[in-house]
Amino acid sequence: MQLSVLDLVPVRSDQRTADALAATVALAQTADDLGYTRYWLAEHHNMPPVAATSPPVVIAYLAAQTRRIRLGSGGVMLPNHAPLAVAEQFALLEAAAPGRIDLGIGRAPGSDPVTSAAMRGWTVDVEAERRRIDEFPNYLDEVAALMSPHGAHVALRSRDDYVLKATPVADGQPRMWLLGSSMYSAHLAAAKGLPYVFAHHFSGHGTAEALAVYRDEFVPSETTPEPVTFLTVNASVAPTREEAERLLLPNLIMMSWLRTGKPIRPIYLVEDAEALALSAVERATVEAARAAAIVGAPGEAADAVRKLADRFGVDEVMINPVGSALRGTDPATAPARIQTLELLAKELL
């Protein structure tokens, strides 16, 4: 089995952004040393518990401090960016770290409507937004063409086709993946012949249906002759199940805020999370999120990963290590997240 890592660059209540980035560097280096396959960074905006606002910037930062692990976006939210800008960023990353770059692309904004409007220059135009969504499949094609050695051809009335390239000379291309949490992405990935990842870590629902559609409808492409997929899952692993559940609790509470529409804050330390009085609705969302996560001692957690892979027919699982920290932990470290990777690697790699 292959294991990979998803990192949102979480920010705890005891951390500054610089601390969260330092912890991410240590986590990526740990994954690199342990034999994890890939390390992906998410794109979210204006969220106090998430410092991953620009995947290509963090990928470049990590590429200089790791040796062999693949680095990628999980994902770039394409509606926020011009296709040429994305293509240029990832073509440059591929030139700097050849053979190590993945470009995972998503359709969601990764933010609330106000932040999304700010990302696009405060343009609030319902029709323009609708067109942007409708054009998403074409934008995928544009990004791929722009990163290719031949570039993209733009038809102009006044002259022959104008050639646009993301880089002057492309020796290789990042591997493109389509990310999704709905059936739309499954249909589109299959039609485009792209590798596909379903965001199982969001809620744990809809994964089987999406992967079945993707596999049934898949149209082979030059880069992907057969379906390629894996799934993501939140995880907290510790020497004992009790410890793993304690370390997981702050993330579960943060997810409950997100799902119930409450203002979200930096991720609590364990002791602060344990002191909270949760409403019945919050307790229900916490329990649902716990049930969808990998949580426990090393042996039971590894068994849960194997069962998850078997259930969905994948040979790669991407772990989102979400353990928080105890009071007094060095803010520039994330020992619970590193522990999760180390303990799973001992069992599965």
Side-chain angles (χ1 to χ4, degrees):
M1 176 184 293
Q2 291 181 310
L3 293 179
S4 294
V5 181
L6 175 64
D7 187 2
L8 277 62
V9 193
V11 182
R12 303 190 308 260
S13 58
D14 63 331
Q15 289 179 312
R16 311 296 292 172
T17 303
D19 297 321
L21 284 171
T24 275
V25 170
L27 192 70
Q29 290 173 335
T30 298
D32 195 21
D33 292 340
L34 291 172
Y36 281 74
T37 299
R38 65 188 89 239
Y39 194 100
W40 280 10
L41 288 307
E43 177 185 340
H44 293 287
H45 302 282
N46 200 37
M47 295 179 67
V50 178
T53 56
S54 180
V57 171
V58 186
I59 290 168
Y61 187 54
L62 296 180
Q65 301 182 78
T66 52
R67 297 175 293 103
R68 48 133 223 108
I69 196 167
R70 293 189 67 90
L71 299 164
S73 54
V76 164
M77 300 295 103
L78 191 52
N80 293 336
H81 313 283
L84 178 57
V86 174
E88 285 184 334
Q89 290 163 357
F90 279 81
L92 195 58
L93 288 169
E94 175 66 25
R100 294 179 59 199
I101 303 300
D102 292 328
L103 170 53
I105 293 177
R107 188 173 66 124
S111 60
D112 60 82
V114 174
T115 306
S116 182
M119 288 287 295
R120 299 165 195 173
W122 294 107
T123 301
V124 181
D125 184 330
V126 174
E127 286 304 315
E129 291 299 303
R130 208 171 274 137
R131 286 194 300 272
R132 193 181 280 267
I133 295 299
D134 291 341
E135 285 295 311
F136 180 74
N138 295 329
Y139 291 162
L140 288 175
D141 294 339
E142 287 180 26
V143 171
L146 288 161
M147 292 190 302
S148 73
H150 304 295
H153 291 252
V154 181
L156 300 177
R157 291 182 181 178
S158 59
R159 53 175 291 176
D160 294 335
D161 285 0
Y162 185 87
V163 178
L164 274 174
K165 289 187 175 183
T167 186
V169 182
D171 292 324
Q173 295 172 245
R175 185 77 186 270
M176 277 186 63
W177 297 73
L178 186 60
L179 281 54
S181 57
S182 69
M183 297 305 290
Y184 172 90
S185 56
H187 290 296
L188 183 58
K192 295 288 187 185
L194 286 171
Y196 176 59
V197 180
F198 188 82
H200 183 77
H201 70 287
F202 278 3
S203 66
H205 300 303
T207 307
E209 296 82 357
L211 295 186
V213 163
Y214 170 67
R215 289 166 174 147
D216 290 344
E217 298 181 2
F218 184 80
V219 178
S221 65
E222 184 178 342
T223 59
T224 312
E226 59 186 26
V228 177
T229 187
F230 60 81
L231 55 84
T232 59
V233 65
N234 295 330
S236 175
V237 186
T240 67
R241 182 177 184 88
E242 181 183 12
E243 182 184 347
E245 291 198 350
R246 288 191 74 204
L247 293 166
L248 176 65
L249 181 61
N251 178 267
L252 299 179
I253 290 173
M254 186 270 291
M255 291 174 68
S256 79
W257 294 335
L258 192 63
R259 300 200 190 291
T260 57
K262 288 193 172 184
I264 55 176
R265 310 175 183 92
I267 296 169
Y268 281 175
L269 295 172
V270 170
E271 294 89 343
D272 296 330
E274 291 174 330
L276 284 180
L278 301 179
S279 68
V281 172
E282 288 171 329
R283 283 197 301 273
T285 57
V286 162
E287 290 308 314
R290 179 184 284 113
I294 300 293
V295 55
E300 64 177 321
D303 285 344
V305 172
R306 291 189 192 98
K307 289 176 182 176
L308 190 70
D310 289 344
R311 177 184 171 193
F312 295 110
V314 298
D315 58 10
E316 180 178 345
V317 175
M318 179 168 275
I319 303 298
N320 180 21
V322 293
S324 185
L326 299 171
R327 189 171 291 116
T329 298
D330 180 350
T333 67
R337 302 181 72 216
I338 285 179
Q339 177 177 251
T340 290
L341 298 192
E342 289 177 337
L343 294 178
L344 284 178
K346 286 180 181 178
E347 298 286 333
L348 296 170
L349 294 181

